[in-house]
PDB file of all heavy atoms in Angstrom:
ATOM      1  N   PHE A 404      -2.953 -15.192 -32.314  1.00 98.00           N
ATOM      2  CA  PHE A 404      -4.245 -14.589 -32.647  1.00 98.00           C
ATOM      3  C   PHE A 404      -5.299 -15.686 -32.678  1.00 98.00           C
ATOM      4  O   PHE A 404      -5.081 -16.739 -33.290  1.00 98.00           O
ATOM      5  CB  PHE A 404      -4.194 -13.900 -34.010  1.00 98.00           C
ATOM      6  CG  PHE A 404      -3.224 -12.753 -34.095  1.00 98.00           C
ATOM      7  CD1 PHE A 404      -2.041 -12.885 -34.803  1.00 98.00           C
ATOM      8  CD2 PHE A 404      -3.509 -11.547 -33.466  1.00 98.00           C
ATOM      9  CE1 PHE A 404      -1.151 -11.828 -34.898  1.00 98.00           C
ATOM     10  CE2 PHE A 404      -2.618 -10.487 -33.556  1.00 98.00           C
ATOM     11  CZ  PHE A 404      -1.436 -10.630 -34.269  1.00 98.00           C
ATOM     12  N   THR A 405      -6.433 -15.439 -32.045  1.00 98.00           N
ATOM     13  CA  THR A 405      -7.559 -16.366 -32.066  1.00 98.00           C
ATOM     14  C   THR A 405      -8.831 -15.618 -32.444  1.00 98.00           C
ATOM     15  O   THR A 405      -9.163 -14.603 -31.812  1.00 98.00           O
ATOM     16  CB  THR A 405      -7.752 -17.040 -30.691  1.00 98.00           C
ATOM     17  OG1 THR A 405      -6.554 -17.705 -30.311  1.00 98.00           O
ATOM     18  CG2 THR A 405      -8.899 -18.041 -30.755  1.00 98.00           C
ATOM     19  N   VAL A 406      -9.529 -16.091 -33.440  1.00 97.00           N
ATOM     20  CA  VAL A 406     -10.779 -15.468 -33.857  1.00 97.00           C
ATOM     21  C   VAL A 406     -11.860 -15.830 -32.847  1.00 97.00           C
ATOM     22  O   VAL A 406     -12.189 -17.004 -32.669  1.00 97.00           O
ATOM     23  CB  VAL A 406     -11.195 -15.930 -35.264  1.00 97.00           C
ATOM     24  CG1 VAL A 406     -12.535 -15.296 -35.652  1.00 97.00           C
ATOM     25  CG2 VAL A 406     -10.118 -15.580 -36.282  1.00 97.00           C
ATOM     26  N   MET A 407     -12.397 -14.838 -32.174  1.00 97.00           N
ATOM     27  CA  MET A 407     -13.483 -15.052 -31.215  1.00 97.00           C
ATOM     28  C   MET A 407     -14.841 -14.904 -31.903  1.00 97.00           C
ATOM     29  O   MET A 407     -15.766 -15.669 -31.651  1.00 97.00           O
ATOM     30  CB  MET A 407     -13.373 -14.049 -30.055  1.00 97.00           C
ATOM     31  CG  MET A 407     -11.996 -13.980 -29.416  1.00 97.00           C
ATOM     32  SD  MET A 407     -11.429 -15.581 -28.793  1.00 97.00           S
ATOM     33  CE  MET A 407     -12.577 -15.820 -27.441  1.00 97.00           C
ATOM     34  N   GLU A 408     -14.954 -13.897 -32.773  1.00 96.00           N
ATOM     35  CA  GLU A 408     -16.169 -13.671 -33.550  1.00 96.00           C
ATOM     36  C   GLU A 408     -15.761 -13.205 -34.938  1.00 96.00           C
ATOM     37  O   GLU A 408     -14.767 -12.503 -35.106  1.00 96.00           O
ATOM     38  CB  GLU A 408     -17.060 -12.598 -32.902  1.00 96.00           C
ATOM     39  CG  GLU A 408     -17.546 -12.920 -31.502  1.00 96.00           C
ATOM     40  CD  GLU A 408     -18.344 -11.771 -30.911  1.00 96.00           C
ATOM     41  OE1 GLU A 408     -18.821 -10.917 -31.698  1.00 96.00           O
ATOM     42  OE2 GLU A 408     -18.470 -11.718 -29.679  1.00 96.00           O
ATOM     43  N   ALA A 409     -16.562 -13.571 -35.919  1.00 95.00           N
ATOM     44  CA  ALA A 409     -16.289 -13.123 -37.286  1.00 95.00           C
ATOM     45  C   ALA A 409     -17.588 -13.111 -38.070  1.00 95.00           C
ATOM     46  O   ALA A 409     -18.503 -13.909 -37.813  1.00 95.00           O
ATOM     47  CB  ALA A 409     -15.280 -14.046 -37.961  1.00 95.00           C
ATOM     48  N   PRO A 410     -17.695 -12.211 -39.046  1.00 92.00           N
ATOM     49  CA  PRO A 410     -18.891 -12.194 -39.904  1.00 92.00           C
ATOM     50  C   PRO A 410     -18.975 -13.471 -40.733  1.00 92.00           C
ATOM     51  O   PRO A 410     -17.947 -14.110 -41.028  1.00 92.00           O
ATOM     52  CB  PRO A 410     -18.673 -10.970 -40.807  1.00 92.00           C
ATOM     53  CG  PRO A 410     -17.582 -10.195 -40.159  1.00 92.00           C
ATOM     54  CD  PRO A 410     -16.747 -11.164 -39.412  1.00 92.00           C
ATOM     55  N   GLN A 411     -20.165 -13.845 -41.106  1.00 87.00           N
ATOM     56  CA  GLN A 411     -20.332 -15.013 -41.959  1.00 87.00           C
ATOM     57  C   GLN A 411     -20.068 -14.652 -43.417  1.00 87.00           C
ATOM     58  O   GLN A 411     -20.282 -13.527 -43.843  1.00 87.00           O
ATOM     59  CB  GLN A 411     -21.753 -15.575 -41.812  1.00 87.00           C
ATOM     60  CG  GLN A 411     -22.033 -16.163 -40.435  1.00 87.00           C
ATOM     61  CD  GLN A 411     -23.418 -16.773 -40.361  1.00 87.00           C
ATOM     62  OE1 GLN A 411     -24.253 -16.555 -41.230  1.00 87.00           O
ATOM     63  NE2 GLN A 411     -23.655 -17.556 -39.326  1.00 87.00           N
ATOM     64  N   ALA A 412     -19.594 -15.641 -44.151  1.00 75.00           N
ATOM     65  CA  ALA A 412     -19.404 -15.533 -45.601  1.00 75.00           C
ATOM     66  C   ALA A 412     -18.617 -14.280 -45.967  1.00 75.00           C
ATOM     67  O   ALA A 412     -19.081 -13.414 -46.701  1.00 75.00           O
ATOM     68  CB  ALA A 412     -20.755 -15.545 -46.311  1.00 75.00           C
ATOM     69  N   THR A 413     -17.420 -14.176 -45.440  1.00 79.00           N
ATOM     70  CA  THR A 413     -16.563 -13.032 -45.764  1.00 79.00           C
ATOM     71  C   THR A 413     -15.156 -13.517 -46.046  1.00 79.00           C
ATOM     72  O   THR A 413     -14.795 -14.666 -45.752  1.00 79.00           O
ATOM     73  CB  THR A 413     -16.557 -12.017 -44.610  1.00 79.00           C
ATOM     74  OG1 THR A 413     -15.887 -10.831 -45.030  1.00 79.00           O
ATOM     75  CG2 THR A 413     -15.845 -12.572 -43.381  1.00 79.00           C
TER      76      THR A 413
END
Side-chain angles (χ1 to χ4, degrees):
F404 297 107
T405 303
V406 178
M407 310 303 292
E408 299 176 19
Q411 293 183 347
T413 189

